[in-house]
Amino acid sequence: MLFHLFDVVGQDKQTFLKGIVDGNFSDIEDSCQYQAAVESECDCLVTFNVKDYQGVTSMSVFSPQGFIAKYLKH
């Protein structure tokens, strides 16, 4: 059911390299995930590490619980 609601994006070499050199993140994994979301023109990013994305203004960043509360609860 979840895959009908949203996409899981991939990452190519160029996007991965952008994540490695992006100095806005202290964690390379967070940076690479953010770059993949940007490249895929995502509306939001869902992560357990919301605090690591505090400087992000180009998209909404949610915890899994926050995303469910906003978009999936009726």
Side-chain angles (χ1 to χ4, degrees):
M1 179 182 112
L2 292 176
F3 292 115
H4 294 286
L5 298 172
F6 60 88
D7 292 325
V8 176
V9 301
Q11 188 170 50
D12 62 13
K13 182 178 179 180
Q14 291 300 322
T15 305
F16 182 75
L17 291 173
K18 286 179 189 176
I20 290 174
V21 299
D22 185 350
N24 295 314
F25 291 88
S26 59
D27 185 322
I28 290 175
E29 180 182 339
D30 293 335
S31 182
C32 290
Q33 290 172 356
Y34 171 72
Q35 293 299 330
V38 168
E39 187 68 28
S40 298
E41 299 178 355
C42 293
D43 297 321
C44 65
L45 190 144
V46 180
T47 178
F48 286 107
N49 299 320
V50 173
K51 65 178 176 31
D52 293 345
Y53 295 87
Q54 288 180 357
V56 170
T57 59
S58 60
M59 69 185 68
S60 299
V61 179
F62 295 99
S63 67
Q65 298 85 353
F67 180 83
I68 289 168
K70 183 162 179 120
Y71 293 107
L72 300 180
K73 279 197 174 178
H74 299 284

